């Protein structure tokens, strides 16, 4: 009855009772080892077959969604089952125990792998480009699979460390391979995730969904970084080509439409769709216009094909704005050069084609428009595209900010210099006023002294004249008397 009872316990989930029956079978074997009865031998053999079923049942339970207490219960039962097998073994028990423990760790990770792989399975549904139709789009299902994979992977790693990585040191004759085993498992699972992610993001057609997937993947990498498995540098080589392909796709679409429109108008001999009489008056820019995207040149309104081409170009830059990666700068600059070369080639072919003698339709207007388009593209369109690309990278914006800071610093220095000069001028004026007052007082004193001296001399001269007059009269009188005599 022991084999049937053990099987019933396994089916009912009574693992403790099933292990007790297995241990009793070992004791029964040791007790009757001398007699070697056929009945005892058959019972022990059947019980050991049930032990294999018990191990399979326990490992199968680990393949599902089990919590930490349930996982610990299953691993404990497996360890007790190893102990039952170890009782009837002979030889180096410690070495055999280490081997069994390592096998248990490998079996644990293999069983949990099946539960983890289920997180990467995305339902095969049609790709919905319009995200407003509900939550059933392909991109949302991929984002859900990334979050689920992150949660399960981190949960398995935590369970493994909590169960198999203990604080007590291993036995002298054994080696603790739990960390190396977990490291190999984590590396393998990360590579599996990256390869699956590479194939899944091919269905993305906009950079907004691509940015969401990148954010989820970065969060996954930071979560694994707590266990020393940060894989953020491996994400950029996956997302960078997709961003470039989305942006360049808009540019190539615009070039294809331009070539098709020029060919249709050239074959039909009509020039009306190629030009317009729209106003090209310039608009005033705001103060912060230097640090923002400049307004498109209004002269392009007179050339609708170039205007539509510019719309396609700016649409690509709008997609780049949602998921801007620094490593894309050099490649996008090279793609811009190829884009301009393709447009110039198309316009050159169009101009040579309309210059062909005997062209029917409005040949003169077609030739005039073709020449004008080439001139506007070289002088207006191409410089504007280069400027917009650099502004989207933030290059011109930073230079403008630096120039503004330099202008502000120069203005402040000039203001400080003006203030210092004003202070020096005020001091000089005060000094000059004081010196002028001193000089004025000195001059006035000198003038007063001179005037006083002149007055004294005049007074002395008058007195001397009064004294000399009588003596003259006496002389005259003496002369007169002498003449009479």
């Amino acid at each position: 009855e022991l084999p049937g009872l053990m099987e019933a316990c396994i089916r009912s989930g009574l693992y403790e009772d099933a292990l007790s029956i297995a241990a009793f079978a070992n004791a029964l074997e040791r007790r009757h080892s001398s007699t070697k009865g056929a009945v005892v031998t058959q019972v022990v053999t059947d019980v050991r077959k049930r032990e294999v079923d018990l191990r399979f049942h326990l490992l199968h339970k680990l393949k599902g969604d089990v919590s930490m207490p349930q996982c610990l219960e299953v691993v404990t039962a497996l360890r007790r089952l190893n102990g039952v097998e170890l009782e009837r073994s002979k030889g180096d028990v410690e070495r055999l125990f280490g081997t069994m423990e390592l096998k248990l760790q490998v079996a644990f990770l293999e069983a949990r792998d099946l539960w983890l792989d289920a997180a990467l399975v995305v339902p095969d549904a049609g790709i919905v480009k319009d995200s407003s139709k509900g939550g059933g789009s392909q991109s949302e299902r991929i984002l859900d699979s990334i979050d689920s994979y992150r949660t399960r992977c981190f949960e398995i790693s935590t369970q493994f460390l909590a169960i198999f990585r203990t604080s007590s040191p291993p036995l002298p004759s054994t080696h603790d391979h739990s960390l190396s085993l977990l490291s190999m498992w984590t590396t393998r699972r990360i590579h599996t995730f990256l390869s699956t992610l590479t194939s899944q993001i091919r269905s993305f057609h906009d950079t907004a969904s691509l940015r969401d997937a990148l954010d989820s993947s970065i969060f996954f990498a930071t979560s694994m970084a707590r266990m020393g498995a940060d894989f953020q540098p491996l994400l950029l080589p996956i997302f960078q080509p997709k961003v470039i392909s989305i942006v360049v796709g808009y540019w190539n679409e615009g070039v294809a439409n331009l070539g098709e429109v020029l060919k249709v108008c050239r074959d039909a001999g009509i020039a009306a769709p190629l030009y317009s009489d729209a106003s090209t008056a310039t608009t005033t820019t705001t103060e912060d216009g230097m640090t923002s995207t400049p307004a498109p040149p209004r002269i392009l309104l007179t050339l609708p094909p170039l205007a539509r081409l510019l719309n396609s170009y700016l649409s690509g830059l709008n997609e780049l704005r949602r998921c801007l990666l620094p490593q894309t700068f050099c490649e996008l600059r090279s793609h811009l050069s190829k884009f301009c070369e393709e447009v110039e080639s198309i316009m050159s072919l169009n101009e040579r084609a309309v210059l062909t003698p005997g062209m029917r339709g409005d040949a003169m207007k077609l030739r005039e428009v073709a020449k004008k388009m080439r001139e506007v593209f070289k002088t207006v369109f191409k410089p504007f595209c280069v400027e917009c690309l650099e502004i989207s990278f933030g290059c011109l914006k930073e230079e403008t900010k630096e120039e503004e800071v330099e202008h502000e610093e120069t203005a402040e220095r000039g203001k400080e210099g003006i203030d210092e000069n004003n202070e020096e001028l005020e001091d000089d004026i005060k000094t000059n006023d004081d010196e002028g007052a001193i000089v004025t007082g000195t001059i006035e004193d000198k003038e007063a002294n001179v005037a006083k001296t002149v007055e004294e001399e005049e007074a002395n001269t008058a007195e001397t004249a009064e004294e000399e007059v009588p003596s003259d009269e006496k002389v005259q009188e003496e002369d007169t008397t002498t003449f009479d005599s």
Side-chain angles (χ1 to χ4, degrees), residues 416-430:
E416 292 177 357
I418 291 172
D419 294 338
E420 292 178 357
N421 293 333
N422 290 335
E423 293 177 358
E424 293 178 357
L425 289 174
E426 291 177 359
D427 295 338
D428 294 339
I429 291 170
K430 290 181 180 179

Side-chain angles (χ1 to χ4, degrees), residues 390-406:
E390 296 299 328
I391 289 177
S392 64
F393 293 159
C395 298
L396 294 181
K397 186 175 181 180
E398 292 179 359
E399 293 177 358
T400 306
K401 287 185 177 180
E402 292 177 357
E403 291 177 358
E404 290 179 355
V405 172
E406 290 180 359

Side-chain angles (χ1 to χ4, degrees), residues 328-360:
T328 60
F329 292 178
C330 296
E331 293 192 24
L332 285 178
R333 288 190 181 100
S334 62
H335 281 290
L336 177 59
S337 300
K338 296 178 181 178
F339 168 78
C340 294
E341 291 176 359
E342 291 179 2
V343 175
E344 289 179 355
S345 176
I346 291 174
M347 290 185 177
S348 299
L349 293 175
N350 178 64
E351 188 174 9
R352 286 198 298 268
V354 297
L355 290 175
T356 304
M359 185 177 180
R360 63 179 182 177

Side-chain angles (χ1 to χ4, degrees), residues 113 115-121 142-156 185-186 188-194 196 220 224 231:
D113 271 347
W115 176 63
L116 181 60
D117 289 335
L120 288 177
V121 178
I142 292 175
L143 294 177
D144 293 339
S145 67
I146 294 174
D147 293 336
S148 179
Y149 192 88
R150 172 186 57 81
T151 304
R152 296 186 182 189
C153 190
F154 187 77
E155 183 178 352
I156 292 172
W185 177 83
T186 305
R188 180 172 58 85
R189 297 313 308 182
I190 288 175
H191 282 289
T192 302
F193 168 75
L194 294 177
T196 306
F220 179 23
M224 298 301 295
F231 58 93

Side-chain angles (χ1 to χ4, degrees), residues 252-303:
N252 293 335
E253 183 180 357
V255 173
N257 292 335
L258 175 65
E260 184 178 357
V261 170
L262 293 178
K263 183 178 182 301
V264 170
C265 293
R266 185 173 62 248
D267 295 340
I270 56 175
L274 301 180
Y275 71 96
S276 175
D277 297 331
S279 175
T280 58
T282 58
T283 57
T284 58
T285 58
T286 58
E287 295 180 356
D288 59 347
M290 295 179 63
T291 58
S292 61
T293 303
R298 297 185 64 84
I299 193 174
L300 297 180
L301 294 177
T302 60
L303 301 171

Side-chain angles (χ1 to χ4, degrees), residues 405-447:
V405 172
E406 290 180 359
H407 289 315
E408 292 177 358
E409 292 178 354
T410 305
E412 291 179 358
R413 288 197 221 100
K415 187 177 180 181
E416 292 177 357
I418 291 172
D419 294 338
E420 292 178 357
N421 293 333
N422 290 335
E423 293 177 358
E424 293 178 357
L425 289 174
E426 291 177 359
D427 295 338
D428 294 339
I429 291 170
K430 290 181 180 179
T431 304
N432 293 333
D433 291 342
D434 296 338
E435 292 178 354
I438 294 172
V439 171
T440 303
T442 304
I443 293 172
E444 291 177 354
D445 294 340
K446 289 182 179 181
E447 290 178 352

Side-chain angles (χ1 to χ4, degrees), residues 18-246:
L19 291 171
S20 298
I21 294 173
F24 177 75
N26 287 343
L28 187 64
E29 183 182 14
R30 289 194 302 268
R31 188 183 307 169
H32 299 278
S33 59
S34 59
T35 58
K36 295 182 180 180
V39 176
V40 174
T41 303
Q42 184 65 31
V43 169
V44 171
T45 302
D46 293 341
V47 168
R48 289 179 180 174
K49 290 180 180 180
R50 300 302 182 273
E51 290 179 3
V52 177
D53 297 338
L54 176 60
R55 184 181 296 276
F56 176 80
H57 185 80
L58 291 173
L59 292 176
H60 181 74
K61 193 171 183 180
L62 291 175
K63 297 176 183 179
D65 186 8
V66 292
S67 60
M68 182 67 187
Q70 295 174 345
C71 190
L72 185 60
E73 179 184 359
V74 172
V75 173
T76 302
L78 289 171
R79 281 176 170 170
R80 285 191 58 186
L81 185 59
N82 289 337
V84 171
E85 294 181 0
L86 197 62
E87 287 181 0
R88 55 178 181 264
S89 62
K90 297 179 181 179
D92 193 353
V93 179
E94 292 182 358
R95 184 177 179 181
L96 186 59
F97 173 78
T99 304
M100 287 183 174
E101 186 69 14
L102 182 60
K103 289 182 178 180
L104 178 60
Q105 294 174 8
V106 174
F108 175 84
L109 293 177
E110 288 179 351
R112 302 301 285 163
D113 271 347
L114 297 177
W115 176 63
L116 181 60
D117 289 335
L120 288 177
V121 178
V122 180
D124 188 10
I127 299 173
V128 182
K129 296 184 180 180
D130 188 5
S131 58
S132 62
K133 293 183 178 181
S137 64
Q138 184 77 358
S139 60
E140 292 182 358
R141 286 193 291 270
I142 292 175
L143 294 177
D144 293 339
S145 67
I146 294 174
D147 293 336
S148 179
Y149 192 88
R150 172 186 57 81
T151 304
R152 296 186 182 189
C153 190
F154 187 77
E155 183 178 352
I156 292 172
S157 301
T158 305
Q159 291 174 354
F160 183 87
L161 290 175
I163 295 173
F164 297 103
R165 183 63 179 172
T166 59
S167 58
S168 59
L171 296 175
S173 59
T174 60
H175 299 280
D176 188 7
H177 301 282
S178 58
L179 289 181
S180 59
L181 185 63
L182 180 62
S183 177
M184 290 187 292
W185 177 83
T186 305
T187 303
R188 180 172 58 85
R189 297 313 308 182
I190 288 175
H191 282 289
T192 302
F193 168 75
L194 294 177
S195 61
T196 306
L197 181 65
T198 304
S199 60
Q200 287 179 348
I201 63 174
R202 294 174 184 171
S203 60
F204 289 167
H205 298 276
D206 61 311
T207 53
S209 301
L210 196 66
R211 181 67 190 184
D212 295 337
L214 178 60
D215 292 338
S216 299
S217 301
I218 290 176
F219 184 58
F220 179 23
T222 53
S223 299
M224 298 301 295
R226 287 180 282 180
M227 294 181 294
D230 190 2
F231 58 93
Q232 293 187 44
L234 301 177
L235 294 175
L236 292 180
I238 296 176
F239 287 88
Q240 177 180 342
K242 187 61 180 179
V243 173
I244 295 175
S245 65
I246 293 175

Side-chain angles (χ1 to χ4, degrees), residues 307-321:
R308 287 191 291 268
L309 179 63
L310 183 61
N311 288 337
S312 300
Y313 177 80
L314 295 179
S315 298
L317 293 185
N318 288 333
E319 293 293 334
L320 178 65
R321 175 178 56 85

